[in-house]
Amino acid sequence: MSIRTRFAPSPTGFLHIGGVRTALFNWLLTRRHGGQFVLRIDDTDIERNRPEALQPIIEGFRWLGLNWDEGPEVGGPYGPYFQSQRLDLYKEAAYALVAKGHAYPCLATKEELEAERKASEAAKKPYVHRGKLRDVSVEEAQEILARESAAIRLRVPLGRTVRIRDHIRGEVEWQTDLIGDPVLLRPDGRALYNFATVVDDVAMRITHVIRAAEHLSNTPVQVLIYEALGEKLPEFAHVPVVNEPGSKKKLSKRDMKKFVTPEVRAKLRAIGWTDEEIDAKDDLNPATVAYYRELGYLPQALVNYLGRLGWSMDDRSEIIPLEQMIASFSLDRVNDAPASFDPDKLYWLAGEYMRQLPLEERTRGVIPYLVRARLIRESPDQATVDRIRQIVEACGDRLKLFSDILPYGAFFFRDPEYDPAALQKRVHKPGMPELLSAFAEVLRHTEPFTVPVLEEKLREFCERKGVKSGDMIHALRVSTTGVTVGPGIFDCLAILGKEAVLERIAKALAMKPEN
RNA sequence: GCCCCCAUCGUCUAGGGGCCUAGGACAUAGCCCUCUCAAGGCUAAGACAGGGGUUCGAAUCCCCUUGGGGGCACCA
């Protein structure tokens, strides 16, 4: 039988980084063994669900290249793949369990349960709920259900040990005496997570349940439900959670605003986001996939990073192309311990993938950032694209993210924004204005205006004047680009062109120092 | 409080009794290269949580302690 895994996100409006990591492991296992990866939307929480909240999840998966064999937009033989459309199935299953004597009605009110819980706490005893009607006959149970709106609870068998063999945790066991009878169905007929999940996993023939470790404690209840249903248990694998950067705390789905640190905010602003826009979007922070997409990370880098977070291929591989990851993925090389998300390492990986990307694709990837920054217009003409390509090439390894085009290349498209300190230090220093003017004259007569010729002219000039080429280069850089960092100066000059270069030098020289 | 899980450099990890004076990677620091930055090269610093066993031998197996995490819902 082929492997079937699933990922069941709630449509919350964003794709969480920890969730994707879990999804990736599910996906990898099926790609490795030729099974099916199912995307099932857990949208039973009707109040909070907006249909458009699904889009970021779908788009995130698409962007990452994690395709699903069954689920939204692609369908499949075990649909529907929205839990909100499967409500009758849960109801049916719950009533079937009542008929088999595995479940029973519960009339307890919230207040009663709360009081019970408090009492256990006061008595320092573990809170284990057993319904009053736990032992009524099947007939009586059905009668009550027909007559009143009651919740349905599973009758947890007493005095037993539930044992699973988790692919990552090994053997784990629980005493059923410590497991309260869980509610399967609310009085209004809506299923609870633990029940709906099992019913769906059974119906969808899921063979491997690979999920976050926080679900480990749900597992005994679910195992009991499988048993009551008379179904075979799937394989379980509980992957360690992903922790916040520099922390031992789980990377939470709640309160993600705290990840919008001043640095993060600065990064987003640098690529054209306003504070209002940042605050208005709840999926724009480092805990979501959308954030990395927005900043121009390569999806393959993110996949590689996430794949290596809690899993390793061997003792040294870090850059693992997807094909290789698929070929070598296995659950037993997933680590037991939680892993902290490390933005630095992801950034490094992003650079590694970027430099492997063909120039043409780098050029294409950079364009949207230039458009957003209003440096070029939408759908640039061929000449502009050619120029962008030159700039991207000149940026070389500096370009790790597509958005890096802005810090490294914005000055090619607009007037320099002069850094006053740099201007002072590199251009308006004793003797330099004269030298610059003299070299500008040389440039005026330089033909062709190309990298090798420019370099030769400068070296020649420096030798003639007896100045260090470094000093001249710094002055040229600051006067033509406004800043102290950027691609090689001769690349900059050649791309800017003679006219712009002369104009910028003149302008920089004309800018009088403050005092 | 109860249940469950986890524990190697700051971080991601290798390690499944001797190959470990613990390897790799990111980050950090220094040097080299160099027109800046980036990249690259070299080097440095940096860990088996603690204590007991088992064994000729333990990072590796067992127990305890400590620490961290998750759960104990008519949330998912």
Side-chain angles (χ1 to χ4, degrees):
Chain A
M1 194 164 94
S2 84
I3 287 182
R4 290 176 59 83
T5 67
R6 48 72 169 175
F7 182 64
S10 327
T12 45
F14 57 85
L15 188 50
H16 188 256
I17 221 78
V20 181
R21 206 275 306 253
T22 306
L24 175 62
F25 286 176
N26 275 281
W27 184 87
L28 283 169
L29 194 74
T30 59
R31 299 303 105 155
R32 165 85 201 269
H33 295 105
Q36 293 88 43
F37 173 61
V38 178
L39 194 57
R40 181 173 75 215
I41 306 304
D42 184 350
D43 55 354
T44 49
D45 192 356
I46 313 156
E47 296 90 42
R48 261 205 325 213
N49 278 331
R50 300 157 292 149
E52 70 274 16
L54 179 59
Q55 265 338 96
I57 293 170
I58 301 271
E59 279 166 23
F61 272 95
R62 287 254 152 82
W63 178 65
L64 290 168
L66 303 181
N67 59 323
W68 52 103
D69 304 296
E70 298 171 25
E73 297 186 1
V74 302
Y78 299 97
Y81 293 93
F82 291 84
Q83 290 193 319
S84 61
Q85 292 169 30
R86 304 176 64 83
L87 269 21
D88 291 344
L89 259 21
Y90 310 139
K91 231 174 187 169
E92 214 174 280
Y95 279 88
L97 287 184
V98 172
K100 284 200 284 180
H102 291 309
Y104 65 91
C106 179
L107 270 355
T109 63
K110 272 193 170 155
E111 292 70 35
E112 286 169 348
L113 294 171
E114 190 53 38
E116 234 180 76
R117 191 186 346 261
K118 287 239 172 72
S120 311
E121 208 168 301
K124 294 197 170 166
K125 288 238 256 319
Y127 171 57
V128 181
H129 179 79
R130 303 281 174 227
K132 287 195 185 69
L133 304 174
R134 195 182 138 85
D135 295 314
V136 298
S137 68
V138 170
E139 293 70 29
E140 209 174 326
Q142 287 173 328
E143 229 169 83
I144 294 168
L145 253 4
R147 164 155 46 85
E148 298 187 56
S149 91
I152 295 179
R153 281 185 192 271
L154 183 75
R155 187 199 318 269
V156 169
L158 269 21
R160 271 196 44 205
T161 301
V162 173
R163 186 176 290 116
I164 62 161
R165 236 200 138 72
D166 190 278
H167 279 260
I168 295 168
R169 311 278 139 187
E171 275 200 8
V172 188
E173 54 179 50
W174 298 263
Q175 302 306 319
T176 57
D177 289 359
L178 266 8
I179 301 169
D181 291 353
V183 171
L184 269 21
L185 220 57
R186 297 181 176 95
D188 65 5
R190 282 152 65 213
L192 270 92
Y193 167 77
N194 272 328
F195 188 55
T197 298
V198 174
V199 170
D200 285 343
D201 285 345
V202 165
M204 296 181 180
R205 309 268 190 275
I206 300 304
T207 61
H208 290 65
V209 172
I210 304 168
R211 58 181 17 162
E214 63 208 78
H215 287 287
L216 187 57
S217 39
N218 286 322
T219 307
V221 168
Q222 295 190 5
V223 166
L224 260 11
I225 294 172
Y226 273 98
E227 288 180 359
L229 252 19
E231 297 289 345
K232 190 168 155 274
L233 288 184
E235 304 287 320
F236 287 106
H238 288 89
V239 310
V241 297
V242 176
N243 286 337
E244 287 174 17
S247 152
K248 291 278 197 287
K249 284 229 169 17
K250 190 180 89 168
L251 189 60
S252 162
K253 272 186 265 195
R254 304 192 175 285
D255 189 28
M256 293 195 302
K257 286 287 178 215
K258 73 174 170 198
F259 297 125
V260 185
T261 60
E263 300 86 76
V264 166
R265 195 173 280 277
K267 281 182 193 169
L268 289 167
R269 290 171 60 138
I271 60 167
W273 285 81
T274 65
D275 280 328
E276 295 73 49
E277 287 171 322
I278 296 168
D279 293 330
K281 291 209 66 157
D282 50 359
D283 69 339
L284 212 54
N285 66 71
T288 69
V289 169
Y291 172 80
Y292 299 97
R293 184 181 185 177
E294 202 54 54
L295 282 173
Y297 282 74
L298 250 14
Q300 49 272 48
L302 187 53
V303 168
N304 189 149
Y305 178 73
L306 259 15
R308 264 298 272 107
L309 193 61
W311 173 83
S312 63
M313 191 175 94
D314 53 35
D315 62 338
R316 56 195 60 246
S317 302
E318 299 290 346
I319 299 166
I320 309 171
L322 192 56
E323 285 311 308
Q324 200 173 356
M325 196 176 278
I326 291 171
S328 57
F329 184 79
S330 73
L331 255 15
D332 49 300
R333 284 196 70 87
V334 174
N335 210 355
D336 285 1
S340 297
F341 186 82
D342 181 1
D344 286 334
K345 191 155 182 176
L346 170 58
Y347 183 67
W348 167 74
L349 223 26
E352 293 296 316
Y353 275 88
M354 186 63 82
R355 74 157 112 187
Q356 288 173 18
L357 201 69
L359 178 60
E360 213 44 51
E361 285 175 54
R362 269 181 287 155
T363 304
R364 214 179 316 140
V366 130
I367 288 173
Y369 292 89
L370 295 172
V371 171
R372 189 190 342 251
R374 295 170 198 260
L375 295 172
I376 59 171
R377 55 188 175 75
E378 224 156 319
S379 349
D381 56 29
Q382 192 55 47
T384 308
V385 173
D386 288 344
R387 187 152 182 272
I388 296 168
R389 186 183 305 107
Q390 281 183 286
I391 294 165
V392 168
E393 191 166 27
C395 284
D397 288 340
R398 295 171 188 83
L399 197 79
K400 293 186 161 119
L401 315 177
F402 286 133
S403 62
D404 284 337
I405 194 65
L406 265 16
Y408 285 117
F411 57 78
F412 285 110
F413 302 93
R414 54 152 170 73
D415 287 339
E417 285 170 3
Y418 289 103
D419 169 357
L423 203 57
Q424 179 64 43
K425 184 176 173 202
R426 299 300 191 186
V427 179
H428 295 293
K429 66 172 186 179
M432 187 47 80
E434 295 72 25
L435 282 167
L436 252 189
S437 301
F439 189 62
E441 276 316 301
V442 173
L443 289 176
R444 191 181 303 283
H445 302 291
T446 297
E447 273 315 324
F449 211 70
T450 58
V451 173
V453 175
L454 286 165
E455 179 152 16
E456 192 194 314
K457 293 284 182 190
L458 182 105
R459 305 278 174 211
E460 203 178 276
F461 178 85
C462 289
E463 200 165 319
R464 181 149 45 86
K465 298 284 187 182
V467 292
K468 278 197 289 192
S469 59
D471 287 346
M472 274 312 289
I473 285 169
H474 289 311
L476 273 171
R477 176 182 299 287
V478 173
S479 57
T480 56
T481 73
V483 292
T484 56
V485 302
I489 188 61
F490 303 109
D491 286 308
C492 289
L493 298 178
I495 294 169
L496 281 167
K498 188 189 286 186
E499 199 180 326
V501 167
L502 292 176
E503 202 175 286
R504 289 178 180 200
I505 292 174
K507 190 176 170 194
L509 286 173
M511 291 180 82
K512 287 273 179 272
E514 294 282 305
N515 34 10

